[in-house]
Amino acid sequence: MKQEYQDLILQTCGASSLRVGAKIQTLWSGYGEIVRLHLEGCGRPSVVVKHVKFPEEAEHPGGWNTDRSHVRKVRSYQVETHWYQNYSTNQSCRIPACLATRSYGDEMLIVLEDLDVAGYDLRRACLSWLAHFHALFLGVAPEGLWPVGTYWHLETRPDELEAMDDAELKAAAGDIDRLLNECHFKTIVHGDAKLANFCFSKSRLEVAAVDFQYVGGGCGMKDVVYFLGSCMDERECEKRVPGLLDHYFTELKVFVKKDVNFNALEKEWREMFAFAWTDFHRFLLGWMPGHWKINRYSEKLTKEVLHKLKQ
């Protein structure tokens, strides 16, 4: 790690020295890495650093190495930095404290609180976190964020749409996207709410989330369907989705403001559930047709949506 990066971290944390620890993960398509740094001489034993390096040639597992893809990723890190600098949550939908951000030419540094030190080291289902998050930001305009959150929304994925073989779904993609974007009840969505981006305390009573590259506006169901699809196979979805959706809306009702017409909110978002699921299914069919998330449950919901659009 360059000395100027180390100096920033030492100054920010008031530490006397640091040691580079384990690499937590490599960023998508080789755009850098996330590492843990151990500190001495301050009250913070460690921090997590997201070190973004824009490569000359990206390495995408699906072969999607295009200028459009690069621009989208660069923008995603700008959005994430803006999110950490300008938005805050509460204990009901915890995120790591951002200690510092800095740009160095074609590199970016985000210094974050180490959630493992805070006790958040078990990954479990986080629907309650999402409900609290969506309630907190219900009706909030996504200023400085993605106007439409999630990394798969249609406007940013024309190449994947063109690659689709499913002609009927391809033709309906614009209508599905429009219905989701025209929801009366909008919130800020995490945008990449997979299981791996959530952390639980050892008691499993508290939850935190990380990775806000694709945070932006939209229907809360986008986060819910993406999360459920990230941690359950088709059989589990058939059995557990109804009960988990009930749990989400029970939590949401507790935290939305009292002047919100919750019955109307729940009705609209429940109707959008299948549309949001189909929207992500559309992306997968064009991006990676052999993906494990393309299954009978997704196909069933897609058929239901296409039937509704014909009525």
Side-chain angles (χ1 to χ4, degrees), residues 8-23:
L8 170 66
I9 297 164
L10 291 172
Q11 181 179 0
T12 297
C13 300
S16 57
S17 63
L18 63 78
R19 175 174 58 85
V20 179
K23 179 166 70 175

Side-chain angles (χ1 to χ4, degrees), residues 8 39 90 149 158 181 207:
L8 170 66
L39 306 176
N90 55 41
N181 292 338
V207 189

Side-chain angles (χ1 to χ4, degrees), residues 14-32:
S16 57
S17 63
L18 63 78
R19 175 174 58 85
V20 179
K23 179 166 70 175
I24 298 172
Q25 69 180 69
T26 299
L27 298 180
W28 191 252
S29 299
Y31 276 64

Side-chain angles (χ1 to χ4, degrees), residues 186-201:
K186 292 189 180 73
T187 185
I188 289 178
V189 296
H190 178 282
D192 193 5
K194 60 189 175 186
L195 185 60
N197 283 336
F198 289 92
C199 318
F200 263 73
S201 64

Side-chain angles (χ1 to χ4, degrees), residues 183-245:
C183 275
H184 175 71
F185 294 98
K186 292 189 180 73
T187 185
I188 289 178
V189 296
H190 178 282
D192 193 5
K194 60 189 175 186
L195 185 60
N197 283 336
F198 289 92
C199 318
F200 263 73
S201 64
K202 291 180 180 179
S203 67
R204 303 186 184 184
L205 297 177
E206 296 175 288
V207 189
V210 297
D211 195 348
F212 288 89
Q213 290 173 230
Y214 293 97
V215 62
C219 172
M221 287 296 96
K222 289 186 173 184
D223 277 340
V224 172
V225 302
Y226 185 66
F227 173 75
L228 293 174
S230 77
C231 60
M232 296 193 297
D233 61 23
E234 58 188 22
R235 292 182 180 179
E236 289 177 302
C237 285
E238 288 283 0
K239 294 179 180 178
R240 301 192 61 194
V241 161
L244 290 171
L245 265 184

